[in-house]
Amino acid sequence: MQTESKIIGIDLGTTNSVVAVVEGSDPVVIPNQEGANKTPSVVAFLDNNECIVGEIARRQAATNPTRTVTSIKRLIGLHHEDLAEWAAHLPYPIVNHDEQLLIDINGLGYTPQQISALIIKKLKESAEAHLGEKVSQAVITVPAHFDDNQRNATIESARMAGLEVLRLINEPTAAALAYGIGKDEDSEEIIAIYDFGGGTFDITILEISGKTFEVLCSTGDSHLGGDDLDNAIVSMIIEAVSYTHLRAHETKANLVCRLLLE
């Protein structure tokens, strides 16, 4: 008798991603090939176009910034004109090809879906190595504010990685489900869930009644994540250094003028 393959759960994050599976009645986070429970959502391309994913890609980002793709989740399902102001903060080049957003690596164009697929594929391979069997189906979490384009693009990425997406679950809802596991079925409460990630800041209000979860409202800001705070801090440092340099330059100039006048 053929047994059904396991269904994995994937948290495809802006900064890090995680894959898990239910063993018995408990969810278990699956370690990757490096033994870590989380995988950096980083894809890098080397001189010979070899692709590396995860921690090994993150480690070489400083020496290979234009070919190391980070925070790809912020681009998935978007068009070139959607990038607006914050595209300037990306270290890798973005191009507009026939109204399609592409990342230019070594003269080759990659869609955000293709880059995301490489991350999902690594998670899939980690799960298969852990379980000792092939995996073909997954449930994936997405930000609550993701629109249809972004959700469909996430499904497409999973398909490219060889996974059928059974369901997309809003990240705050997934957090509520994890919170509600094992609670009294007669309990009723309204909870607020804040999700502060690398790319977004979401809040969702849910009503929990036994095993029923109802979303009362959900909103978020797609430009108020950890990346945005990092960019703000970098801008402050650059401004401070520039100001200090300018003051030092002015002081030297004033000193030269005084010496000449004397």
Side-chain angles (χ1 to χ4, degrees):
M1 180 177 177
Q2 186 177 2
T3 58
E4 294 184 357
S5 62
K6 292 278 190 178
I7 300 171
I8 58 174
I10 293 177
D11 176 13
L12 186 62
T14 301
T15 308
N16 296 289
S17 295
V18 177
V19 60
V21 69
V22 175
E23 294 184 349
S25 58
D26 298 320
V28 176
V29 173
I30 297 174
N32 57 27
Q33 290 92 330
E34 293 78 37
N37 285 341
K38 61 182 181 181
T39 299
S41 301
V42 182
V43 176
F45 296 85
L46 307 181
D47 291 335
N48 59 357
N49 284 329
E50 178 189 356
C51 174
I52 54 177
V53 182
E55 180 62 27
I56 189 173
R58 187 190 68 81
R59 289 177 181 174
Q60 55 83 71
T63 58
N64 185 28
T66 60
R67 294 181 296 182
T68 301
V69 184
T70 58
S71 303
I72 193 62
K73 181 177 176 180
R74 306 194 74 175
L75 306 185
I76 196 165
L78 300 183
H79 299 288
H80 190 269
E81 59 269 20
D82 296 327
L83 300 187
E85 304 171 357
W86 55 275
H89 296 288
L90 298 174
Y92 44 88
I94 302 294
V95 297
N96 184 8
H97 179 70
D98 293 336
E99 304 302 322
Q100 187 178 34
L101 187 156
L102 296 177
I103 296 97
D104 184 3
I105 305 291
N106 293 338
L108 300 176
Y110 295 86
T111 66
Q113 292 92 310
Q114 289 174 312
I115 300 295
S116 296
L118 294 171
I119 300 170
I120 295 174
K121 182 181 179 182
K122 180 173 175 63
L123 299 174
K124 176 177 180 288
E125 291 172 348
S126 298
E128 290 175 339
H130 174 82
L131 298 170
E133 61 182 76
K134 291 293 183 182
V135 174
S136 60
Q137 296 178 316
V139 174
I140 301 179
T141 61
V142 294
H145 71 275
F146 257 25
D147 60 23
D148 288 342
N149 287 337
Q150 292 167 305
R151 292 171 188 271
N152 289 333
T154 302
I155 294 174
E156 181 184 354
S157 294
R159 179 187 58 76
M160 291 178 180
L163 287 174
E164 174 192 3
V165 177
L166 299 180
R167 181 173 297 179
L168 295 178
I169 298 180
N170 288 346
E171 290 165 355
T173 304
L177 289 170
Y179 169 75
I181 290 177
K183 293 184 70 68
D184 186 353
E185 293 188 7
D186 296 328
S187 65
E188 293 187 6
E189 56 184 321
I190 296 177
I191 62 174
I193 299 174
Y194 292 92
D195 184 358
F196 181 59
T200 63
F201 182 55
D202 294 334
I203 178 173
T204 298
I205 307 297
L206 294 103
E207 182 176 7
I208 302 178
S209 179
K211 293 185 177 181
T212 302
F213 296 76
E214 181 183 357
V215 178
L216 301 181
C217 64
S218 184
T219 188
D221 190 330
S222 59
H223 300 291
L224 192 59
D227 281 357
D228 300 289
L229 296 187
D230 289 345
N231 292 334
I233 292 171
V234 168
S235 297
M236 291 173 60
I237 292 173
I238 291 174
E239 183 178 352
V241 170
S242 299
Y243 177 75
T244 302
H245 175 74
L246 180 61
R247 287 294 300 272
H249 179 73
E250 288 177 345
T251 300
K252 292 177 182 178
N254 290 339
L255 177 61
V256 170
C257 288
R258 285 199 300 270
L259 290 174
L260 289 174
L261 289 174
E262 293 175 355

